[in-house]
Amino acid sequence: EYKPCAAQKHCGISEVQLLCLPDKLLVVTVATKETDGFRRFLRSAKHFNYTVKVLGRGQKWKGGDYMSAPGGGQKVKLLKAALEKMKDKEKIILFIDSYDVVFASGPKELLKKFQQARHKVVFSSETLIWPDRHLEDKYPHVREGNRFLGSGGFIGYLPNIKEMVTGWDGENHESDQLFFTKLYINPEKRKAVNMTIDSKCRLFQNLHGALDEVVLKFEDGRVRARNVLYDTLPVIIHGNGPTKRLYSFFVALQESEYPLVVIGIFIQQPTPFVTVFFERLLKLRYPKNRLKLFIYNQVMRHNVVHGLLFLFLLPVSDMCRQDKDCEYFFNLDIEVVLKNEDTLKIVVEQNLPIVAPMITRVGRLWSNFWGALSAEGYYARSEDYVDIVQGRRLGVWNVPYVSSVFLVKGSLLRSELSEHDLFTSDVLDPDMAFCDKVRSKGVFMYATNMHTFGRILSTENYETQHLHNDLWQIFENTLDWEERYIHENYTRIMKDKLIETPCPDVYWFPIFSDIACNHLVEEMEHFGQWSGGGNKDTRIQGGYENVPTIDIHMNQVGYEKEWHKLLLDYVAPITEKMYPGYYTKCATPLNFVVRYKPDEQPSLRPHHDASTFTINIALNEVGHDYQGGGCRFLRYNCSIQAPRKGWALMHPGRLTHYHEGLPTTAGVRYIAVSFVDP
């Protein structure tokens, strides 16, 4: 059946077949005009090194539209004529559609699976029967898998396929599906051609009627579709029927081939964590030379970001509309938290007119898409909205409204959406106005929750009167506050046994990030009203401080509630682990930041603290910011002379842990102190 090749001297027969057969494989398809889908098909074929022969180029398509009625006879007519010119009896023909097809793997895998089918012709399979459901009883039964034939893809030896299409004498508009179905359900003809169907989707995956069976796996820059019902990895993916606009897969490209994307960033109200937003933007895994960035800023306090001044009054979408090289416009609001560094790549891969990566608000059912519209054109909850938002249903969803973050094809902005007032309306807000105009043009919008992309910040109660306003976001945007200000190793404290015991009953653990330490110090210095270090202190009950320090209390800068939440959420759990049987609500009459300077207050005399336990957090770095310093517990003659920045010392306050602050000999030392449970 196979002619030997040079490799046969060194290979077993199965290896010889795999090495020799790829040269015998020819992919044949019909494409009367070049579409985006056809170009995508050719890119995927080139990527996997398939040889493709295209039939019908430049001809008028007379084979129907498939969606409203059967058709496709013109394809069979063109194939029959092309096969008559082919003479190599060992040639293997893969005949597939191309406008809605991509390859997921190469010829060797395809041919290996074809050989394992043990038939001379293998057709793709369908879960649904079409176009004549009355033929269902005549279909042969299969042991497992799909029962019905799909004409959008088949593979076989040249002589067998020639024999199969010999009987075609129909018109261009007649059904190719019906023609091949009648061959298949006729036992004698099926046997003569030696044909079968790929019932478990090992070679072909038709998506019509099977979307729930297919998931996407993105690994190492590639995507592979898996049929989870049969646990197979199809080689060819066909978005047939109504699924044409629902599926998309992306072939790995060279960086220079990536689509050019204009990113438009909108800053329309004071927003927390703006610096973090731009740090994340820089981490997007997309070639930076294929990106252009424009920022529309209506908030003067955000004018300076990473040392650059941004203020654009021209509508940002125009930047893409006027740039012929712009293939996509990525709309991104400043309050969007993109955690997935592949977000841009993933939405570009969808190859859809408008697509939004789904983002949500922590602890709420809010998202950046609507599942349905009311009769008045406003929000209505669709039946599956909650399942989609909570991730119980995954997919790419056709939706009537998207906002906050979405991708638009540049060609749309230069054609159907060429109006310059897309976001303008007398009665609707900008996002609703945009989506209303998109719908009126018959353009589809999509949202995808196939991946976890990120979340959106709350901006409702953002205070702007401080130097570092983000410090106050522990209530409104807790997760973002934690990622910014809590030490990266905090969550590993118990698992990895990071708590140290430098002195008896003194525990040392990481709590603050470097940025948290810097911001707290800078906030206090910005406030500037340091105490004089005397015994008289009107800020405390009784007005007298026995062991005074140069300090600023948290309540002086309006940070008392926030600091109490820090103690409850991040200190109390450690306290209850290290002091078994003791439970605390972190009653804190005194929280403050202390400043030590050689020429101001270099040290603190021995004393007990007015607390059940004390927290002492180092806010800067010994050796870099200051020299000397530290804490000595006199009873145990035990000193901690190199406190780590961002680490907390926790120790009993009364009776047992008489201690002193060691002299700071150079620079300035800062610590944050809490006397807990007086």
Side-chain angles (χ1 to χ4, degrees):
E1 186 171 352
Y2 306 104
K3 287 185 178 180
C5 67
Q8 190 169 6
K9 296 177 182 178
H10 308 286
C11 305
I13 185 65
S14 62
E15 294 174 304
V16 170
Q17 291 171 359
L18 290 179
L19 288 170
C20 299
L21 284 178
D23 292 337
K24 296 292 186 181
L25 176 66
L26 178 65
V27 179
V28 181
T29 190
V30 173
T32 56
K33 65 177 181 178
E34 290 200 10
T35 65
D36 286 342
F38 176 68
R39 286 188 284 269
R40 178 180 56 196
F41 166 79
L42 289 182
R43 288 198 303 269
S44 73
K46 180 181 179 181
H47 176 72
F48 289 109
N49 202 28
Y50 284 93
T51 301
V52 179
K53 182 177 181 63
V54 182
L55 308 178
R57 270 182 166 162
Q59 296 186 22
K60 183 178 180 181
W61 176 250
K62 300 177 181 178
D65 65 4
Y66 288 101
M67 300 298 287
S68 58
Q74 187 176 356
K75 292 194 304 181
V76 186
K77 183 177 180 180
L78 289 167
L79 175 64
K80 181 179 178 181
L83 294 179
E84 289 174 355
K85 300 176 183 178
M86 299 182 191
K87 306 301 181 185
D88 186 349
K89 294 182 179 181
E90 293 181 355
K91 187 170 288 294
I92 296 173
I93 302 297
L94 171 64
F95 187 66
I96 49 175
D97 292 349
S98 56
Y99 291 158
D100 49 10
V101 169
V102 291
F103 290 100
S105 186
K108 287 188 177 181
E109 182 179 336
L110 176 71
L111 291 169
K112 180 178 180 180
K113 290 179 175 179
F114 171 53
Q115 289 176 322
Q116 292 170 344
R118 300 181 183 279
H119 285 74
K120 298 298 180 68
V121 178
V122 179
F123 272 81
S124 68
S125 66
E126 301 264 16
T127 60
L128 307 173
I129 185 171
W130 189 80
D132 187 351
R133 61 184 178 85
H134 298 100
L135 298 176
E136 179 176 353
D137 292 340
K138 296 184 178 182
Y139 264 91
H141 289 277
V142 297
R143 184 177 303 172
E144 182 182 9
N146 300 329
R147 185 180 167 199
F148 307 114
L149 175 145
S151 65
F154 57 84
I155 184 172
Y157 292 99
L158 176 61
N160 301 78
I161 294 180
K162 275 187 176 181
E163 181 179 354
M164 185 173 65
V165 300
T166 297
W168 173 265
D169 58 3
E171 299 296 329
N172 287 335
H173 65 274
E174 293 183 26
S175 174
D176 62 332
Q177 173 78 21
L178 190 58
F179 170 73
F180 291 122
T181 296
K182 288 182 176 179
L183 283 176
Y184 180 66
I185 63 177
N186 184 314
E188 294 179 0
K189 293 182 179 179
R190 184 169 70 245
K191 184 176 181 180
V193 175
N194 193 2
M195 62 192 296
T196 188
I197 63 171
D198 178 32
S199 59
K200 294 171 70 175
C201 305
R202 299 182 74 245
L203 291 89
F204 304 94
Q205 177 67 64
N206 289 316
L207 295 181
H208 184 34
L211 282 174
D212 291 341
E213 301 171 10
V214 181
V215 298
L216 300 182
K217 292 206 172 280
F218 289 83
E219 296 177 356
D220 301 325
R222 279 194 56 197
V223 59
R224 189 75 191 261
R226 177 184 292 275
N227 186 304
V228 293
L229 185 60
Y230 306 121
D231 194 23
T232 55
L233 294 171
V235 178
I236 296 157
I237 312 299
H238 185 191
N240 57 320
T243 66
K244 281 179 172 54
R245 298 178 67 88
L246 295 180
Y247 92 107
S248 64
F249 304 91
F250 201 69
V251 179
L253 297 175
Q254 299 297 319
E255 284 199 0
S256 61
E257 297 177 312
Y258 273 69
L260 179 68
V261 180
V262 170
I263 301 179
I265 295 171
F266 290 82
I267 307 175
Q268 300 183 83
Q269 67 260 332
T271 304
F273 305 109
V274 168
T275 301
V276 182
F277 172 92
F278 284 97
E279 289 170 356
R280 288 201 181 103
L281 192 67
L282 289 171
K283 293 179 182 178
L284 283 178
R285 283 194 281 261
Y286 199 93
K288 300 301 183 287
N289 63 349
R290 304 303 295 161
L291 296 175
K292 291 186 178 181
L293 179 65
F294 293 95
I295 300 176
Y296 182 82
N297 184 11
Q298 291 184 318
V299 182
M300 292 307 294
R301 72 176 310 277
H302 289 324
N303 270 359
V304 179
V305 181
H306 283 222
L308 298 175
L309 177 67
F310 297 116
L311 184 60
F312 292 92
L313 300 179
L314 185 67
V316 181
S317 59
D318 280 358
M319 303 295 184
C320 182
R321 186 179 288 122
Q322 296 172 6
D323 186 346
K324 294 180 181 179
D325 294 327
C326 173
E327 296 177 68
Y328 289 96
F329 169 63
F330 190 46
N331 182 99
L332 186 58
D333 288 353
I334 195 71
E335 60 265 30
V336 171
V337 178
L338 284 184
K339 294 290 290 178
N340 190 327
E341 294 176 2
D342 289 317
T343 295
L344 183 55
K345 185 170 181 285
I346 289 168
V347 291
V348 168
E349 286 172 357
Q350 303 306 306
N351 195 26
L352 292 168
I354 299 175
V355 60
M358 188 190 79
I359 57 172
T360 58
R361 185 160 283 158
V362 176
R364 295 173 59 182
L365 287 174
W366 184 96
S367 75
N368 64 323
F369 78 94
W370 294 353
L373 293 175
S374 67
E376 295 77 26
Y378 293 94
Y379 172 81
R381 179 172 291 182
S382 60
E383 183 179 347
D384 54 0
Y385 177 82
V386 174
D387 286 340
I388 293 172
V389 170
Q390 294 183 341
R392 291 193 291 269
R393 295 192 66 188
L394 301 177
V396 182
W397 313 95
N398 186 199
V399 297
Y401 172 91
V402 295
S403 66
S404 301
V405 52
F406 53 87
L407 187 79
V408 184
K409 278 194 171 182
S411 57
L412 269 180
L413 295 172
R414 292 185 285 271
S415 54
E416 291 98 322
L417 303 181
S418 59
E419 301 171 27
H420 290 275
D421 58 350
L422 287 175
F423 291 88
T424 304
S425 170
D426 294 333
V427 294
L428 301 174
D429 67 30
D431 286 330
M432 289 183 65
F434 172 75
C435 294
D436 181 65
K437 289 171 183 175
V438 169
R439 294 193 303 270
S440 70
K441 298 292 186 181
V443 176
F444 285 4
M445 292 173 281
Y446 296 86
T448 173
N449 68 338
M450 293 296 293
H451 303 261
T452 299
F453 293 102
R455 56 186 178 268
I456 194 163
L457 294 169
S458 170
T459 60
E460 296 168 3
N461 300 307
Y462 186 48
E463 299 182 7
T464 59
Q465 69 267 34
H466 309 288
L467 177 65
H468 293 296
N469 298 291
D470 296 349
L471 281 169
W472 276 258
Q473 287 295 296
I474 191 170
F475 291 103
E476 288 293 322
N477 293 291
T478 305
L479 188 55
D480 298 88
W481 185 93
E482 179 178 297
E483 290 178 354
R484 185 68 162 164
Y485 291 129
I486 293 300
H487 197 286
E488 61 181 356
N489 292 331
Y490 176 83
T491 56
R492 298 171 42 225
I493 284 176
M494 294 304 176
K495 177 183 175 183
D496 295 346
K497 299 180 180 179
L498 298 182
I499 298 180
E500 300 180 18
T501 310
C503 298
D505 282 331
V506 176
Y507 299 105
W508 204 12
F509 57 90
I511 188 166
F512 269 164
S513 68
D514 273 7
I515 292 173
C517 296
N518 296 343
H519 282 192
L520 194 55
V521 168
E522 290 166 9
E523 194 69 44
M524 293 303 177
E525 288 291 0
H526 178 71
F527 179 71
Q529 297 179 29
W530 296 94
S531 66
N535 295 105
K536 184 177 180 181
D537 192 341
T538 58
R539 300 171 302 171
I540 61 175
Q541 189 175 1
Y544 182 84
E545 172 58 69
N546 188 41
V547 186
T549 54
I550 304 276
D551 58 48
I552 295 175
H553 290 187
M554 296 295 180
N555 59 14
Q556 289 180 262
V557 295
Y559 205 63
E560 191 75 4
K561 289 189 302 181
E562 289 76 9
W563 193 262
H564 184 240
K565 182 170 175 61
L566 165 76
L567 295 174
L568 276 176
D569 291 353
Y570 302 99
V571 173
I574 307 298
T575 305
E576 292 166 8
K577 287 285 186 181
M578 305 318 296
Y579 300 121
Y582 181 77
Y583 300 96
T584 178
K585 293 185 178 179
C586 293
T588 54
L590 207 54
N591 304 303
F592 51 97
V593 171
V594 179
R595 183 174 74 184
Y596 291 112
K597 297 170 68 173
D599 58 351
E600 188 176 69
Q601 181 184 9
S603 61
L604 192 61
R605 67 178 176 82
H607 62 283
H608 284 295
D609 292 336
S611 66
T612 301
F613 69 94
T614 295
I615 297 295
N616 176 333
I617 305 173
L619 297 180
N620 57 348
E621 186 178 349
V622 64
H624 182 272
D625 301 307
Y626 64 92
Q627 301 293 331
C631 182
R632 176 171 174 259
F633 294 93
L634 279 71
R635 178 179 182 137
Y636 307 106
N637 192 27
C638 180
S639 298
I640 303 165
Q641 293 181 311
R644 299 169 193 158
K645 183 178 180 179
W647 282 57
L649 279 176
M650 180 171 69
H651 61 82
R654 296 189 185 88
L655 194 62
T656 58
H657 281 64
Y658 193 58
H659 61 284
E660 64 180 335
L662 298 175
T664 298
T665 58
V668 184
R669 179 187 177 215
Y670 298 92
I671 59 173
V673 179
S674 289
F675 293 161
V676 185
D677 295 344

